[in-house]
Structure formats: C-alpha cells, structure tokens
Amino acid sequence: MSSGRRPSTPARRGARAWVPAALVLALAAPLGACQADSGSGGAAAPAATASPAPARIDVLPADAALDVRLDAPVTVRVTDGQLDEVVVTAQDGTPLEGAVAGDGLTWTSTAPLLAGARYEVRATAHGSGGAPAERTSSFTALDPAVTAFPAVAPLSGSTVGVGMPVIVTFDEAVADDRRALVEERLRVTTSPAPVEGSWRWVSATQVQYRPAEFWPAQTDVHLDVDLGSTEVAPGVWGVTRDIDFHVGAAVVSQVDVQAHTLTVTRDGEVLRTIPVTTGQDGHGGKYVTRSGTKVVMSLEESRQMDAETTGVSRDDPEYYDVAVRYAMRLTNSGEFLHAAPWSAASHGRANVSHGCTGMGLEDARWLFEQSYVGDVVVFTGTDRAVEPGNGFDAWGYSWEQWRAGSALQG
C-alpha cells in the first residue's frame, strides 16, 4: 500500500549536487580574506605610495652674507636630486669659475673672490622624481682695508740681461708663517724650455728669484703673482699681477782690476777689450773696487755724481761733484761703469778712481749701447768682496746657499 511519498532515488549522473547553504558560506569565507570582492560592493582602494622628495639646494656663503673672506670657497650642494646648472656672477658681470664634482651633487668655486664684489648665485637642479628646483642667493666679498702690493723688477715688457733676478717687493710685511704660501703662489714659467730656479727671502718685504745658472739667452719669462686670495699677514691681503719679460743676448763682461781691462763677450764671443781704471788703493781701502759677480742695475745716459752721497764730506780733498756720461750702476754703494775722459792717461795703466770703473767716452758709449739692465760684470783682482745686499747680489751665493733661503725648503 502506498504511503503517498515519492521514493528517493540517487542523483543522476551529470546533475548539479545540492550543497547546504551553511557549507557554501564556510567555503566562501577563506576566499573573501585573500581576494577582492567582485560583487556589487566595488573594488578595494589601492595601498597609498609616498611622493618623491623634492630636491633641496644649499648655498654657502649664506644668503646676504657680508665681508666674505676672499679665499672662502663658494659651494652649492643638492640633496635628493642632481645639479643642472650653477652660475655665480659678480656685479660687473665677471663669472666666478667653478666645477661640479663627479657625483653631480656639489659645485665648488675654483677662483678667488674679487675684493668688495657683490655676487649673485643661481642654481637649478631636478629631484629624484624629475621635479625642477631653483635657488638664488647673494653675498658680498671682503674689501680689505690693507693690501700688500707687489712691486716687481724687471718691469713687464722689458728685455734684460742673463743675470737679472726677479725681485718682488711688498709694501707690507709678509708674516713668517705665510711665506711658504706666498712663495707657492709666485709662479715662474719660461719658454721655449723650462729653467730650474728658486725663490729666496731677503726680508719680510722682499723675495727674489734666480735660476740655478744664468738665464739662457733669448728666454721668455712669465711671473704669475697669484695672491688675490691670500692673507699674507693678519688683516693684510695680497694682490694679483702678471709680469712678462724677455732675456736678451748673454752679455757678460770681465774686469781684471790688476790688468786694468774690461773684456766684453756676447753669447760667448769676445766683442771688445777696453782699457779702464778702477778704485785706487790707500785711504784705508775705502775706494778699492769690490771683486765678485755684479749685475747692471740701471742705465743712465747722464748722471750727476756727488761724492757726498757715498759718505765723502764736501771738505774732504777726495770730494767730487761731476756730471758723467753713460753711467751703468753696479752696486747700491755707488760703483758704476761710466765714461771718465778726465782720467784718460790712467786707462789701462793705473787705478785712480773712487771705486767706479772709468773708460774713454767712445768706449763707454759703445758699451752703453750693448747693455741691458741685468747684464753680468765679473770683477777679479782685489781682496774686497761685494757685501751681501749691495746691489743685485743673487750671484754671490752658491746654488745650495740660495735655495736654503726659500720658505719651501726643509
């Protein structure tokens, strides 16, 4: 007898199986924790990312700085980026030279500041994300109250003899502990070939340069006085200059005091032997001509010679006041080569002067026309030597003695 219910039958092959709702929710829960809901609720917001940091440009000296030291470097540095361009200009339009480091992060000036100049700095860069950055600033360089001006001999553009030292005389003293720095910035270069040379400090205000041997004939010499950013003493700043001069022919003369002769050579060839008179004996030796290597200090076609300037009083029988022609100074103490027609009878025979080397008028004129400041005259035949500092005395020292006077030695 039928119960009225349809007997249950197994699910047919291929039909969808019925799964209780609770089981569906249980299976769906893990999926919801791992992936975005694709239902009508919408997509989940993406995680937030940090924006690139902008480039930062720092400049030293600080903006609006005053009295910036002339040796202070100007630096521009970028953080979180790369420099694109740096331009630093004085108010007169003069650019300040500088260079960017290999990493592209820092620009540093490579030249000294101009005294008293106001500078404008403009720098551009880009950040790590490419965004541009710009920085402008300004500062004013120190205008020194005291400078040490370097007077230089020989003068720029001159032609000199092979014995001429380079003499730099400052109008303010250089501090002892600054001499080496100053010397490093006094640069001598020569052409057509290098010439070995050295500086020697004569005093706190003077330094001299000479080669190891006489300058080679026909040499061009350049002196770079690069002291514009150098404090040579507390509160005293240097000055920048450039000097160029030419060394002419090698005119070297020999005076034999005992033989009463002056022999002139040019580039090794004897040009003339001139009869002369030199300083007389007696009087305690004060008129004896000094032996040693002397250098022509000046050329004067006419000169008034007053013995009073050499310590001879007007009431002394040896006093003189006479105009001479073709005077070539050799010492600070008053020794000259010059025409002495009044003593013609003694030329080549006797020494009757007050220390000068006298000769005939025509010989003196000829020698004057052959000569340059810096020509060498070597005296022999007396026991009286040229004193240190009496004239251009650079050749009174051995090369080792000369170099020992450099602040860069030792």
Side-chain angles (χ1 to χ4, degrees), residues 52-85:
R56 187 180 82 244
I57 302 174
D58 295 309
V59 178
L60 287 176
D63 189 26
L66 301 175
D67 294 329
V68 176
R69 287 178 60 94
L70 304 181
D71 55 359
V74 178
T75 59
V76 179
R77 181 172 179 80
V78 66
T79 304
D80 297 323
Q82 291 281 305
L83 282 172
D84 293 325
E85 183 181 37

Side-chain angles (χ1 to χ4, degrees), residues 1-248:
M1 177 174 187
S2 174
S3 62
R5 293 184 298 176
R6 186 176 178 174
S8 59
T9 58
R12 292 172 295 175
R13 188 181 303 272
R16 182 182 302 271
W18 175 79
V19 181
L23 180 58
V24 171
L25 291 175
L27 293 173
L31 294 176
C34 297
Q35 65 186 50
D37 183 7
S38 59
S40 61
T49 58
S51 59
R56 187 180 82 244
I57 302 174
D58 295 309
V59 178
L60 287 176
D63 189 26
L66 301 175
D67 294 329
V68 176
R69 287 178 60 94
L70 304 181
D71 55 359
V74 178
T75 59
V76 179
R77 181 172 179 80
V78 66
T79 304
D80 297 323
Q82 291 281 305
L83 282 172
D84 293 325
E85 183 181 37
V86 176
V87 178
V88 183
T89 312
Q91 75 261 23
D92 65 355
T94 302
L96 182 64
E97 297 178 1
V100 177
D103 58 8
L105 302 179
T106 305
W107 181 96
T108 305
S109 60
T110 56
L113 303 177
L114 299 177
R118 182 178 183 275
Y119 284 88
E120 298 280 350
V121 181
R122 180 180 178 275
T124 57
H126 62 273
S128 55
E134 182 174 342
R135 175 75 182 273
T136 59
S137 66
S138 66
F139 63 89
T140 302
L142 174 72
D143 191 2
V146 182
T147 58
F149 182 82
V152 178
L155 297 176
S156 194
S158 61
T159 297
V160 300
V162 296
M164 183 68 197
V166 180
I167 304 172
V168 179
T169 304
F170 298 96
D171 59 2
E172 295 285 340
V174 176
D176 288 349
D177 63 353
R178 306 297 286 176
R179 289 186 182 185
L181 179 59
V182 168
E183 197 174 319
E184 285 178 343
R185 297 183 179 182
L186 299 174
R187 304 184 185 98
V188 176
T189 53
T190 58
S191 62
V195 177
E196 181 185 11
S198 175
W199 292 97
R200 178 180 181 272
W201 287 88
V202 176
S203 68
T205 58
Q206 189 176 103
V207 61
Q208 298 186 13
Y209 182 95
R210 57 156 268 202
E213 300 177 356
F214 295 146
W215 296 103
Q218 311 306 331
T219 294
D220 291 314
V221 183
H222 175 76
L223 169 63
D224 181 14
V225 182
D226 186 19
L227 297 176
S229 63
T230 304
E231 192 176 26
V232 303
V236 181
W237 291 81
V239 175
T240 295
R241 298 189 66 194
D242 286 300
I243 304 294
D244 292 278
F245 64 90
H246 179 72
V247 179

